[in-house]
Amino acid sequence: MHTLFHSHLTFTFLIYPFFRRGIKGGAALLLIFTSTGYAEEPEIDLDLGEEIHELCAGCHGEYPRLAGFPPEYLARQLKLFKHNERKNIPIRPYANERELPDEDIPSITVYLSQIELITTMPVFDKDMSAYEKLLIAKKVFNIPRTEGNITCGKKFYKTECRSCHGRDGKGKKNSIIPPLSGQYTQYLAKQLKAFARGEREYDDADFFAEMS
């Protein structure tokens, strides 16, 4: 474990080597933020993470996508939901201490962060059915469901979003900043409107600390 101090934040880097079916093998990098002192080493149980994900997938297999998100960002959002600081009625029965205790959060967030979304169509086996091909294609293509001007959107993203979320919208490696590309357009539109109306706020200073 290697600990660095910056201002009043402690950044603890923990490497968890693992190989799981359906998850890209390698090391999961977990960055833990604490206001003071040392962060306790969280217990990562990927079997537990997979078990929790089976429940989450009922909604998040479709809306919104969570695969590949930074574990720190996911953990922050789960805690906001648990404390009712971020409102979402469908998640309320699950984001509470009885159903999702704090000690389980690192397991599900690291599990989700290591799921790699398919971004290009694979070469299909000649024996694969049309239905199987359709299911794979559904995972690859994110069909826009929100009307808009792509040219204007590209210009807006370049001036207002790219500096944080990256040139291609994939966030930044080893960062708390989430990716935007590949997310469902309806979800993105809903969140932008929530920010504009003041119904959702930027989560905390940690996000902006990375920009300074």
Side-chain angles (χ1 to χ4, degrees), residues 17 33 35 41 47 54 79 86 91 96-97 137:
F33 293 86
S35 57
E41 179 177 340
D47 289 325
E54 290 176 0
K79 290 180 180 179
R86 183 177 172 187
I91 202 175
N96 56 67
E97 191 59 26

Side-chain angles (χ1 to χ4, degrees), residues 37-86:
Y38 290 89
E40 292 184 2
E41 179 177 340
E43 181 179 348
I44 306 298
D45 184 342
L46 292 175
D47 289 325
L48 175 61
E50 184 176 20
E51 181 181 337
I52 297 172
H53 178 250
E54 290 176 0
L55 178 62
C56 304
C59 293
H60 290 285
E62 296 295 333
Y63 186 88
R65 290 178 171 176
L66 299 179
F69 272 51
E72 310 80 26
Y73 174 81
L74 293 173
R76 172 65 178 165
Q77 299 312 304
L78 285 172
K79 290 180 180 179
L80 288 174
F81 285 128
K82 287 184 65 175
H83 298 153
N84 205 30
E85 295 177 36
R86 183 177 172 187

